[in-house]
């Protein structure tokens, strides 16, 4: 689960960088031009990655 969350976070991060470039260049959203930037699908990926990261972190707590 930790590996999946890292993959989702990396993909979402790369797409957010791309969305930032699109915002600066004035290019509309590629998926649906009516949507704003950053793309809602990218934000869903980012949210899923964060939730999985938190859940996997609580699963692997260290005992002292």
């Amino acid at each position: 689960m930790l590996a999946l969350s890292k993959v989702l976070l990396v993909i979402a991060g790369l797409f957010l960088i791309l969305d930032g470039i699109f915002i600066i260049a004035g290019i509309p959203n590629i998926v649906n031009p009516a949507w704003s930037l950053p793309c809602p699908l990218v934000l869903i990926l980012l949210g899923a990655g964060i939730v999985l990261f938190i859940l996997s972190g609580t699963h692997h707590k260290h005992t002292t």
Side-chain angles (χ1 to χ4, degrees):
M1 191 159 48
L2 183 60
L4 178 62
S5 69
K6 288 182 180 180
V7 168
L8 287 176
L9 289 173
V10 167
I11 291 171
L14 291 173
F15 278 123
L16 280 173
I17 292 170
L18 188 63
D19 281 349
I21 292 170
F22 286 166
I23 290 170
I24 292 170
I27 300 171
N29 193 338
I30 293 174
V31 178
N32 184 354
W35 289 351
S36 64
L37 286 171
C39 183
L41 298 176
V42 174
L43 296 177
I44 290 171
L45 276 176
L46 181 65
I50 290 172
V51 168
L52 283 177
F53 187 76
I54 290 171
L55 290 177
S56 66
T58 59
H59 179 69
H60 293 290
K61 284 195 174 190
H62 297 282
T63 57
T64 56

